[in-house]
Amino acid sequence: MKQITLNIGGEDRIFYFGLGFLGRLLDETNTDMSDFDRLRTANPFKWIPLMMFYSCEYGYIREGKEADFTRQDVINWIDETD
């Protein structure tokens, strides 16, 4: 499983980049790979935070837990990062 740990939002958080994360991202955003590539390129300011949210949330799902953060939290963490 490809992953990275980032200190963001005041905590070390694991972001997963495997098939589970990607499948969930596409399902939850109602896109397919061709749409996703086009949309991500057209508006990375929307899609990068979404990717980060679903990537980090997937770790919680793998453990049978509910994420303790929202998409808006991820946007705020990015905005607050130095």
Side-chain angles (χ1 to χ4, degrees):
M1 173 70 59
K2 300 292 182 186
Q3 65 191 48
I4 187 171
T5 301
L6 297 176
N7 187 290
I8 190 167
E11 295 181 26
D12 285 341
R13 300 177 192 273
I14 301 173
F15 294 81
Y16 291 88
F17 300 104
L19 296 176
F21 141 73
L22 187 55
R24 182 158 172 79
L25 171 70
L26 295 176
D27 282 347
E28 292 295 318
T29 59
N30 198 30
T31 58
D32 60 32
M33 283 305 294
S34 60
D35 284 341
F36 174 73
D37 284 340
R38 180 182 54 77
L39 293 166
R40 179 184 47 84
T41 303
N43 188 351
F45 305 106
K46 173 183 176 180
W47 287 92
I48 289 173
L50 276 174
M51 290 172 60
M52 290 179 70
F53 171 78
Y54 287 111
S55 175
C56 191
E57 180 197 44
Y58 187 68
Y60 286 78
I61 291 169
R62 286 172 43 116
E63 296 178 2
K65 299 178 183 175
E66 190 170 326
D68 60 354
F69 55 89
T70 65
R71 292 180 212 162
Q72 186 60 49
D73 290 330
V74 174
I75 293 168
N76 293 344
W77 298 340
I78 294 168
D79 285 345
E80 294 167 359
T81 302
D82 292 331

